[in-house]
Structure formats: C-alpha cells, structure tokens
Amino acid sequence: MLDFQGLTRRQLNARSNHRNVSLDQIQLEKKPVSKLDRFMREKDVIAVTSLSHSTIWRAMKDGRFPRPVLISPGRVGWRESAIIAWQGNPAEWKVKSNT
C-alpha cells in the first residue's frame, strides 16, 4: 500500500492524475489503533469538526456535543472516541444521561 500521509491535496491530485487513479481509489495507510483514548485540545476539536469555539460551547450547553474532561487545573480535553461518536451522526447526537 502506498503511503500518502503528509501530502497536500494538490500533491495527491498530481499523483493520482499521473497514475490515472482518482482520489477516491487511493487508500491512505492507517496508523495502528491504540487501546488508550487520547485527549484532544480545543484547537484540534475545532479543526476536525470545522465548528467555531462559540458553536462548540453552545452545543455542549444544549447537550448536543460531548463535554470535555478535566485533565488538570486549568486544562480540559475532549476524548477522541467521543468526538468520533459525535461525527457519526451530529444531528442526532445527544449527551447520554447517567440515570
């Protein structure tokens, strides 16, 4: 399998055009899955969801977006698994109640 990680979309297009292969046919090599859930910073969450800071916090208040976890005083992070679950169906996602 070819590894195209780290290339820009323009570089991928150039490679796919050169080989007469569409971008849809190129499979990016996946990194091994860790058994540990990593924490994402707010800037990473904004990057992967394309939501703004205000929209994320408004959605959390309404129960439509995962809440961050307190990592240490003054530091919070979102569980990557929670963001992935939200991305599966953002319109229908709701915070799971503990009751």
Side-chain angles (χ1 to χ4, degrees):
M1 184 181 303
L2 299 173
D3 182 14
F4 290 108
Q5 299 233 346
L7 297 179
T8 65
R9 187 157 191 80
R10 185 177 190 175
Q11 290 168 326
L12 282 173
N13 280 328
R15 286 186 181 215
S16 66
N17 290 340
H18 174 69
R19 297 175 188 202
N20 297 323
V21 178
S22 72
L23 281 178
D24 297 331
Q25 294 171 327
I26 295 175
Q27 291 185 343
L28 298 178
E29 185 175 320
K30 295 184 179 180
K31 295 178 182 176
V33 177
S34 171
K35 293 183 181 187
L36 296 175
D37 200 6
R38 79 178 189 107
F39 290 106
M40 299 174 68
R41 294 181 177 183
E42 184 178 21
K43 68 177 185 171
D44 299 327
V45 173
I46 289 170
V48 300
T49 63
S50 71
L51 299 175
S52 70
H53 165 86
S54 301
T55 301
I56 289 172
W57 288 89
R58 189 178 323 110
M60 282 190 314
K61 183 179 176 184
D62 295 340
R64 297 179 290 111
F65 194 81
R67 292 194 173 274
V69 175
L70 183 64
I71 298 171
S72 64
R75 174 71 76 190
V76 296
W78 282 260
R79 292 186 186 276
E80 186 176 42
S81 60
I83 300 302
I84 291 169
W86 176 85
Q87 287 177 320
N89 192 356
E92 298 295 322
W93 194 91
K94 296 284 183 191
V95 172
K96 294 177 182 173
S97 63
N98 293 335
T99 57

